[in-house]
Each structure stands twice: as C-alpha cells, then as structure tokens.
Amino acid sequence: MRKTNFHTHTARCGHAVGADEEYVLSALRGGFCELGFSDHTPWPYPSGFVSSIRMTPDELDGYVASVRRLAVRYGDRIRLRVGLECEYFEAYMPWLRETIRRCRLDYVLFGNHYYPSDEHAPYFGHETRTPEMLERYTESAVEGMETGLFACLAHPDLFMRSYAPFDRHCEKASRRICRTAARLRIPLEYNVSMIAADEKRCWQGVPHPDFWRIAADEGCTAVIGMDAHDHTALESGVYYDRAVRTLAGLNIPTVDTLPFFEY
Ligand SMILES: [Zn+2]
Ligand SMILES: [Zn+2]
C-alpha cells in the first residue's frame, strides 16, 4: 500500500500551525507519496456568524491557489490534492456543490462536527453524552453520506470523544453508520490525530475498538487519516504504522486513495 494522507489542515482554520509548504516538506520527510489538503471549509452564514475554527469565505481562493502552486513546485516528488473538510449542513449543500465545481476541488471529506450548523449546535466531539445527541450525530452522518458528495467519512467514531462507555446506543449508532458507509462504498477514516491526547487523559476515544469491530463486521473499507493540524505530525510514522497493523488485524481492507471528482 502506498503511504498517503488526505486529511491535512492549514493555519487558516485558526487552530493549526505551519505554512502550507511546511506540510509538504514534512510529508516528504514522513515518506508520503500523496498528500491531500482538506482544511475546514468556510460556510456562507447568512447571519454573518464568524466561526473560530475555519477560514473565512474570502480566504478560500487563496488556499486553493496556494496548494496548486505547491503541487507544481513539488510535482516531481509528491502528488498534492486540494479538498475541504465539510459538515453536512443541509441548507448550504447547494453552495458546497457550486464551490466544488468553481474551485475544481479534488474531493471533500465529511467531518460530521455539528448539525444543523455550528452557529448554535454544540460540537459532537465534546458534547455527545446522551443517546439523544448520539441520535443526532447518527442522523447527520447517514444523511450526509447519502448526498453522494463526500469521498470519505472522517473520524466516524467522533462521538466516543465524549460518550462513555460504549453501550447499546453506541452499538446501534455504529451499526447504522457502518452499514450506510458499506452500502454506499464510502471509506471510513481511521483517524490517528487524537490518540496521543486521549492516551494522556486515559480515555478510550478515537479510533474506538468497539466501533472498528463493527466496521469490520459490516464489511467497511478504511482509509488512514493523519488529520494534521501541525505539519510535524506528518513526520513520525508511529501512529500511521500502528493503524496499518490494527486494520490488518481486523481484516478491514484499507485504501490508499479516494474517489476524486473528475472535470
Ligand atoms: Zn474533523
Ligand atoms: Zn480535520
């Protein structure tokens, strides 16, 4: 399997560090042969809301241009892709479809962080503590996947960052998410970015072994995602290599590419 990563942020989102070029250089040091940028998408909030975790809409063209420039500069050493990490906010899906076309994006990742929008809804990663919130997470995940826009479901087990223990509600939610992903042939991202922090707080979070056992059982496909918010994270192979071993142990087929849009 080629070593690839399609989950990379940039400093534009306000909670990542490093220049765009540093991510490319770190990816080369880490032995990646293909790197996809998927920074948090901006959304055209009619209320004028300004999110603290995203670039602004007027930064989008500069972001795409920057990745394209780097793709040319480093084209003989690494293949670069440009995408976005997007929620499923139903009201903004026409805008997203138009943006994909206008910017000629290679792909969009489905980061199911909030629903129906982050203007009022809490972050699923911190606030999913009840079966009701879990149900909301699951509905949004399933409906989002059904749009056919997303190349993969990022951190599908995000709810386990705050929900504990993995109970019958989690089992049901995971079955529904995995069954939908398998039916639609959408790879699930085995996201390694939170392992270090979860280990430090002695928390069984993401990736959650019970979720991934269900993913294996439902015949899902995985893609390993670094979800890098610091370019140096791309240089160490510790979590990537562990992910390869874990997925092989679970007999989950792992892909090194995504279904990209064609123009
Ligand atoms: Zn995310
Ligand atoms: Zn991310």
Side-chain angles (χ1 to χ4, degrees), residues 1 3 190 192 195 199 207 212 216 222-224 236-254:
M1 189 174 70
K3 189 170 179 184
Y190 194 88
V192 302
I195 298 173
E199 277 178 355
W212 285 93
V223 60
I224 299 168
S236 158
V238 173
Y239 296 115
Y240 181 93
D241 295 345
R242 204 198 282 181
V244 171
R245 286 195 300 273
T246 305
L247 289 165
L250 286 164
N251 270 324
I252 296 180
T254 306

Side-chain angles (χ1 to χ4, degrees), residues 7 40 85 111 113 155 227:
H7 199 158
H40 292 286
E85 181 177 16
H113 305 123
H155 41 63
D227 199 356

Side-chain angles (χ1 to χ4, degrees), residues 37 41 60 63-64 68 81-86 95-108 260-263:
F37 281 86
T41 190
L60 181 57
Y63 159 73
V64 173
R68 292 254 154 80
R81 302 275 186 178
V82 61
L84 288 168
E85 181 177 16
C86 309
W95 178 88
L96 180 58
R97 284 178 199 277
E98 173 53 30
T99 298
I100 290 167
R101 221 179 5 245
R102 185 180 68 77
C103 297
R104 298 174 84 81
L105 299 180
D106 292 315
Y107 65 104
V108 288
F260 298 112
F261 295 121
E262 281 172 23
Y263 298 96

Side-chain angles (χ1 to χ4, degrees), residues 7-9 15 38 40 85 109 113 154-155 189 191 227-229:
H7 199 158
T8 313
H9 291 278
H15 59 283
S38 54
H40 292 286
E85 181 177 16
L109 297 184
H113 305 123
H155 41 63
E189 181 202 43
N191 186 303
D227 199 356
H229 286 80

